[in-house]
Structures are given as C-alpha cells and as structure tokens.
C-alpha cells in the first residue's frame, strides 16, 4: 500500500501544466525564466503546447486574458500573467509567486486641459477601460458613481473622439498618455508578472511546483544581485563590511601589500549605485562587479 502511494505521488508520467502568453509583452520573459530554471522546451515554434525533456512540465500558449479561466477550469495548473489580469479575472485562484518583470500600473487619466481636483471629478462622468472589474471596485470604494464604458483596445483615444471623459488603462512610461493629450491623475494599482494557481493541486503536482519555484527563486535572486570584489584599506574594513553584508558575511582575505584586504560579497542590484558611491568614499579600490548566474538562498 505504502509503495503504491509513493508510486502515485511521484508518478513519472505526471506533469505540471503551465500556461503562458502566446505572443505579447510577457511571452519572451516567461519562456526565458523557464529556460534559466533549466527547463528546455521541445517545441520552439510556440504551437499550442510544448513539453520539456528536462523537467516534468508542459507549456500551454494562450492569450493572457484567457489564462485565469484555464487555471480555474484545471486545464492548466498554473499560469504567468500580469497582476492586472489576475486582479480583473482571477477570482477563485491565487498568486503563488511575484516575478518582478513587466512592471506597469493601472491609472485613471483625463484630458490635460481639464482641471482635476480629486477622484470626485469622475462622479457622473464616463470612463473608458478594458478593466471594468478593478475600476468598479475602486469607484465603489471611493463612493463615486461613474459610468464605466468597456472597450477592448485603444482605450487612450476614447476622450479624443468624445466617447468618454477619462480613461482607466495600463501605463508604463506614460508616453502613450502624453501622445494622446492625457494626464495621469490616479494610480489605482501597480502590477508585475505573477505566477497564478489553484490551492487544490494534488501532491504529485505540488511537489513539481515546489521544485519549479525553488529554481525560479534562485534565478530571480541571481538577477537581483551582483557579486562584488574590492580592495579595502584595513582601517576602513569595518565600515565597508557593514554596507556590503553579503549572504552570510563577506569573505575577507589579506592582500600581498600590507594594510590592505580583498573583500568579496553580494549586493542587491537596486542599491547598486548608492552602495558603490559609499564604498568609494571609504577608500575602496579596484571594485569589480560580476553577474551571478544562480543564487541558492
Ligand atoms: O494578445 P494578448 O491578449 O495575449 O495580449 P495583450 O495585448 O492583452 O497584452 P500585452 O502583451 O500588451 O501585455 C501583457 C501584459 O504586459 C499586461 O497585462 C501588463 O501586465 C504588462 N504590461 C507592461 C503592459 C505594459 N507594460 C504596457 N505598456 N501592457 C500593456 N501596455 C500598453 C498599454 O495598454 C498602453 O497602450 O502600453 C501602453 C502604455 O505604455 P506607455 O509606455 O506608453 O505608458
Ligand atoms: Zn490580453
């Protein structure tokens, strides 16, 4: 009995099915994060489905808007979508991991000549959007009664052609808004790519998912960190070590020249420039910064 249970739990035929965007802003990064996690896909041409020869996973290529429904219906076990799509269509499923790419925000915008004095502006006004659920949640929360006009594309032209008084849409650099004579007035939510899934995965698939997440976290940690080597004057070692504490603590080795040490550590990409300036101020020299391929945290 025990042997049979173990067999079913780790059934070698069992595969985790992940849905990713077929073609669009998320596609390339979704495939590359899998690749960096050691998952090579047999079907490079992105048909509907491809299988990995190196990991028990199948990849389903879909329109991003359809992915939450496929996950909910158990056609896929997990999926990669923008958090905006999850917030709009992800009822009954959950965010399993944040991936940090395709960052953007969902914002309200109005024509630039309008004098905007807060969300109450939208009372009794018309707003065009492809995200009616998120917008309604926001307006209800603020007690604003506006008319939501759902359209599926080119939302930014709606005010210019007299279809709406404002829009609610994805903003990244902001240049689309500027190009259409609009000003961003409220950021309603921030978004990044996320892995979504159900809470009821059976044990075998859960264990594949845990392995996948371990690999993806190692890839993300490596992307977000750099390996740093530098020469430090011994009388400033304490200060230098305090600003690059590393994973456990930095490696410190004496240089052939007395009074100097070589320090090796890991630093976060986001703090990179600030830390480099501080290190230079403490007299660090010969600073080398090297990309990390994988980081097991
Ligand atoms: O065909 P399919 O339905 O699969 O794709 P899609 O056309 O619906 O989505 P796609 O590929 O455009 O975007 C996929 C996801 O990428 C979105 O759901 C977001 O999570 C994320 N993302 C990140 C963006 C942007 N940045 C973005 N800039 N999605 C869309 N845009 C568009 C936005 O709609 C607007 O038209 O870019 C314009 C704004 O960009 P800026 O830089 O001018 O502000
Ligand atoms: Zn879409």
């Amino acid at each position: 009995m025990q042997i049979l249970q173990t067999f079913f739990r780790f059934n070698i035929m069992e595969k985790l099915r992940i849905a990713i965007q077929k073609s669009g802003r998320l596609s390339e990064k979704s495939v590359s994060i899998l690749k960096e996690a050691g998952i090579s896909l047999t079907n490079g041409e992105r048909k509907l489905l491809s299988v990995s020869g190196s990991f028990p996973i199948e990849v389903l290529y879909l329109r991003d808007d359809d992915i939450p429904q496929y996950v909910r219906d158990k056609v896929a076990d997990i999926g990669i979508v923008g958090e905006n799509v999850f917030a709009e269509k992800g009822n009954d499923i959950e965010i399993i991991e944040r991936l940090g790419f395709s960052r953007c925000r969902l914002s309200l915008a109005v024509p630039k000549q309008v004098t905007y004095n807060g969300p109450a502006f939208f009372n009794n006004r018309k707003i065009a959007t492809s995200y009616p659920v998120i917008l309604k949640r926001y307006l209800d929360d603020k007690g604003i009664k506006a008319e939501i006009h759902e359209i599926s594309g080119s939302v930014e032209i709606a005010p210019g052609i007299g279809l709406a008084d404002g829009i609610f849409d994805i903003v990244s650099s902001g240049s689309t808004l500027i190009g259409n004579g609009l000003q961003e007035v409220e950021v309603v939510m921030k978004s990044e790519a996320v892995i979504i899934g159900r809470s009821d995965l059976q044990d075998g698939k859960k264990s594949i998912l845990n392995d996948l997440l371990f690999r993806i976290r190692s890839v993300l940690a490596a992307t977000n960190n750099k390996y740093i080597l530098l020469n430090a004057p011994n009388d400033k070692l304490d200060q230098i070590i305090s600003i690059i504490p590393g994973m456990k603590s930095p490696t410190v080795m004496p240089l052939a020249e007395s009074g100097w040490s070589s320090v090796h550590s890991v630093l976060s990409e986001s703090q990179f420039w600030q830390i480099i300036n501080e290190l230079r101020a403490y007299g660090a020299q010969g600073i080398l910064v090297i990309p990390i391929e994988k980081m097991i945290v």
Side-chain angles (χ1 to χ4, degrees), residues 108-112 114 116 121-122 165-167 181-185:
L108 280 158
V110 297
K112 66 173 189 285
V114 163
Y116 180 79
F121 166 87
F122 292 102
D165 303 294
I167 67 163
L182 299 168
Q183 53 172 325
E184 184 175 6
V185 289

Side-chain angles (χ1 to χ4, degrees), residues 170-191:
I170 295 176
V171 182
S172 178
S173 65
S175 60
T176 301
L177 294 184
I178 293 169
N180 285 279
L182 299 168
Q183 53 172 325
E184 184 175 6
V185 289
E186 302 289 342
V187 176
V188 173
M189 75 168 276
K190 294 203 170 151
S191 174

Side-chain angles (χ1 to χ4, degrees), residues 2 59 73 122 146 169 182 186 196 198 233 236 238 246 264 269-270:
Q2 180 67 43
V59 180
D73 292 348
F122 292 102
D169 199 12
L182 299 168
E186 302 289 342
I196 53 170
R198 298 182 311 274
K236 291 290 187 311
D238 288 346
H264 299 201
E269 172 87 83
S270 61

